[in-house]
Amino acid sequence: MSACLPPNFAWPQTSQQFGGLSIAVPQPSPGQMLQLVEHLYSSASNLQQIPIATIVAAIDRAAQQWLAPDYPPRLQLLDQLPQINGYSPAMLNEVLDRMLADWRAPQIWQRLNEQFGDPLLLDGWRPMVIGESRVFGPRLTWHICAGNVPGVAIQSLIDGLLVKSPSLVKVARGEPLWAAAFATSLIQQLPALAESIAVLWWSGGDQALEAPILANTEAIIANASDAAIAAVRQRSPAHIRWLDYGSRYSLAYVSQTMLAAPNLAEIASKLAYDGVMLEQQGCVSPQAIVVEAPTAEQLSQFGLALNQALADLSQRYPASSSILAATRRSADDYEWQALSGQPIQLLSQPDQPWLVVVDQREALPTVAGRLIKLVPVADLAELAQRLKPLHQHLQSVTLVCSAAQRHELAEALAAIGVLRICQAGQQAFPQAAWHHDGRDPLRSLVRWVDLERSANPHV
């Protein structure tokens, strides 16, 4: 399913190629887009009347449907999506299950309580120190979604619904299917949402098509490249509220004390899982494993453990042809650099469907394919110096250290600019209530209204 539109919206369709799959997509004119955004905007008053508990329950039921292995839309998605984004069905199964778990009722209520204290502020006036207060979501939110990780568009849509904001979701070429299919399931659970949700794809940057959106939207949630975000910002009216999630850089840090840990094989297995999951395409994907003050022997032992872990993971999550090709290109590139005298050491065989390398150069560039890059540093101070040019783009760091070191090293990483510090094996899937890119996503969308208590109750 390529689109989900409110009732009575039927547009001409055209065939578009997404990876290896041809899909029919709606092709609205600027005038039709204007009608759609005006319709969504006008639905805000009705959406605001739906109790938040009713919305949460509907999301929970839809997620429960999608968790069933034999749910027909899920089976169709698992058949189609590998042809577009190169993820294996086994990996997609895990990604779907991990993301769907965050959309169950207990996790959603945890988020609402974390960010609002009293979620009933979304339904009406609630007692506060000042008197009474309540919150309102935007009358229309435009979601611009990246396609590097499945489910990003759905999470964005859910965030909009949790603040009772009608949503126009622009899905990405790299993942055009799941959001529309999930929205359809959600509307089946709560038909009242049908007037307030639109999910479709169009070619980004179409200024004529996007002008009516920018003229009517009150908020934009953008999961996209820095360049794409900047291009839309240039055209945006000043009053629009922005939540932009641009390019981010993540890594792992292994302290020196852990290189002699008796459970090094287990640590390597979890770090390899973080690197393989999402095929290095997520903002939370580790672009390097930084190793503190290793000896040559310790690097070799660590490399052996990582290779064994990657061999196991390759059986569990077979790499697609596109991932294999990217890995092969990275291996060829590193072999040539090593031959030319660069401080690079290959710790895996060139014919394997993964690559483990030691890269001692100053830069920490991004990686492609199933590549684990080990970067030795003397200490965290050296890492801070290396990461200085990237401090505005840092996101997640897996911290592998002793319990005694954890707070000290976490404090140092936070000072560098890191926004999330997690355990090995958890990097690909942040907790539901995390502060995405250092912010409260739901609180950032709403406006507060205060009804002040009168100083003189008789006036």
Side-chain angles (χ1 to χ4, degrees), residues 180-405:
F182 188 89
T184 300
S185 301
L186 184 56
I187 290 166
Q188 290 170 354
Q189 298 300 325
L190 184 56
L193 297 177
E195 304 291 349
S196 300
I197 296 175
V199 181
L200 67 157
W201 176 88
W202 67 88
S203 183
D206 186 332
Q207 295 192 23
L209 197 62
E210 293 172 359
I213 305 174
L214 290 169
N216 288 274
T217 194
E218 290 188 358
I220 295 176
I221 304 177
N223 291 271
S225 68
D226 292 344
I229 290 171
V232 179
R233 270 190 177 276
Q234 278 189 330
R235 297 184 278 123
S236 300
H239 71 270
I240 291 180
R241 184 171 301 193
W242 270 83
L243 272 77
D244 55 312
Y245 303 107
S247 303
R248 290 287 174 180
Y249 188 98
S250 296
L251 54 117
Y253 187 85
V254 180
S255 73
Q256 211 283 331
T257 57
M258 302 307 293
L259 295 173
N263 63 333
L264 185 64
E266 180 186 355
I267 293 170
S269 179
K270 291 179 178 180
L271 290 171
Y273 173 86
D274 289 335
V276 167
M277 193 53 54
L278 306 181
E279 300 290 14
Q280 297 287 2
Q281 296 180 49
C283 61
V284 293
S285 297
Q287 298 296 303
I289 298 177
V290 179
V291 188
E292 182 182 76
T295 66
E297 183 181 355
Q298 286 172 330
L299 275 178
S300 178
Q301 294 264 342
F302 196 25
L304 284 173
L306 287 168
N307 273 290
Q308 182 58 57
L310 287 165
D312 296 340
L313 287 165
S314 291
Q315 294 295 316
R316 184 175 171 188
Y317 307 109
S320 68
S321 58
S322 61
I323 297 301
L324 288 171
T327 305
R328 181 67 262 169
R329 288 192 297 270
S330 293
D332 290 343
D333 185 46
Y334 270 109
E335 283 186 81
W336 278 109
Q337 292 180 61
L339 287 170
S340 68
Q342 295 291 324
I344 290 167
Q345 180 185 3
L346 276 68
L347 297 182
S348 55
Q349 297 300 314
D351 58 346
Q352 291 173 329
W354 66 83
L355 183 64
V356 180
V357 300
V358 178
D359 190 340
Q360 302 196 47
R361 294 171 298 181
E362 286 300 312
L364 294 176
T366 56
V367 300
R370 291 201 175 175
L371 165 60
I372 290 184
K373 186 198 314 249
L374 300 179
V375 179
V377 298
D379 50 30
L380 202 51
E382 181 185 342
L383 176 62
Q385 192 61 34
R386 290 198 188 195
L387 293 180
K388 194 172 182 180
L390 299 171
H391 75 279
Q392 291 184 326
H393 298 278
L394 295 175
Q395 206 223 65
S396 296
V397 170
T398 290
L399 180 55
V400 181
C401 64
S402 66
Q405 293 176 296

Side-chain angles (χ1 to χ4, degrees), residues 147-194:
N148 53 332
V149 175
V152 168
I154 301 172
Q155 183 61 68
S156 193
L157 170 63
I158 287 173
D159 285 358
L161 290 175
L162 291 179
V163 297
K164 302 187 183 182
S165 176
S167 290
L168 171 61
V169 182
K170 180 192 179 304
V171 294
R173 181 176 287 277
E175 211 291 71
L177 299 174
W178 193 16
F182 188 89
T184 300
S185 301
L186 184 56
I187 290 166
Q188 290 170 354
Q189 298 300 325
L190 184 56
L193 297 177

Side-chain angles (χ1 to χ4, degrees), residues 16-271:
Q16 285 286 338
Q17 197 70 22
F18 299 89
L21 199 64
S22 181
I23 302 174
V25 298
Q27 193 174 25
S29 67
Q32 290 170 325
M33 182 62 80
L34 175 61
Q35 291 176 341
L36 174 63
V37 295
E38 288 180 340
H39 176 89
L40 293 170
Y41 189 96
S42 67
S43 75
S45 298
N46 290 333
L47 181 56
Q48 287 166 0
Q49 299 306 309
I50 302 176
I52 187 60
T54 301
I55 294 173
V56 171
I59 297 170
D60 177 74
R61 292 194 300 271
Q64 190 172 11
Q65 275 187 313
W66 276 90
L67 279 166
D70 58 349
Y71 184 49
R74 177 180 176 129
L75 293 174
Q76 184 178 13
L77 185 75
L78 290 171
D79 176 62
Q80 293 179 323
L81 206 49
Q83 301 175 59
I84 298 174
N85 64 11
Y87 284 57
S88 69
M91 184 174 292
L92 280 173
N93 259 312
E94 178 138 355
V95 172
L96 264 62
D97 286 348
R98 294 291 294 266
M99 299 195 83
L100 287 161
D102 286 344
W103 305 333
R104 300 303 309 275
Q107 285 71 28
I108 295 175
W109 284 117
Q110 181 187 54
R111 288 190 69 206
L112 290 170
N113 281 297
E114 172 77 20
Q115 298 200 25
F116 294 115
D118 181 358
L120 293 183
L121 285 159
L122 292 154
D123 288 345
W125 300 100
R126 302 293 291 171
M128 304 288 281
V129 172
I130 198 171
E132 294 177 282
S133 299
R134 67 164 302 175
V135 296
F136 291 90
R139 292 190 67 88
L140 176 61
T141 298
W142 179 20
H143 307 256
I144 305 171
C145 301
N148 53 332
V149 175
V152 168
I154 301 172
Q155 183 61 68
S156 193
L157 170 63
I158 287 173
D159 285 358
L161 290 175
L162 291 179
V163 297
K164 302 187 183 182
S165 176
S167 290
L168 171 61
V169 182
K170 180 192 179 304
V171 294
R173 181 176 287 277
E175 211 291 71
L177 299 174
W178 193 16
F182 188 89
T184 300
S185 301
L186 184 56
I187 290 166
Q188 290 170 354
Q189 298 300 325
L190 184 56
L193 297 177
E195 304 291 349
S196 300
I197 296 175
V199 181
L200 67 157
W201 176 88
W202 67 88
S203 183
D206 186 332
Q207 295 192 23
L209 197 62
E210 293 172 359
I213 305 174
L214 290 169
N216 288 274
T217 194
E218 290 188 358
I220 295 176
I221 304 177
N223 291 271
S225 68
D226 292 344
I229 290 171
V232 179
R233 270 190 177 276
Q234 278 189 330
R235 297 184 278 123
S236 300
H239 71 270
I240 291 180
R241 184 171 301 193
W242 270 83
L243 272 77
D244 55 312
Y245 303 107
S247 303
R248 290 287 174 180
Y249 188 98
S250 296
L251 54 117
Y253 187 85
V254 180
S255 73
Q256 211 283 331
T257 57
M258 302 307 293
L259 295 173
N263 63 333
L264 185 64
E266 180 186 355
I267 293 170
S269 179
K270 291 179 178 180
L271 290 171

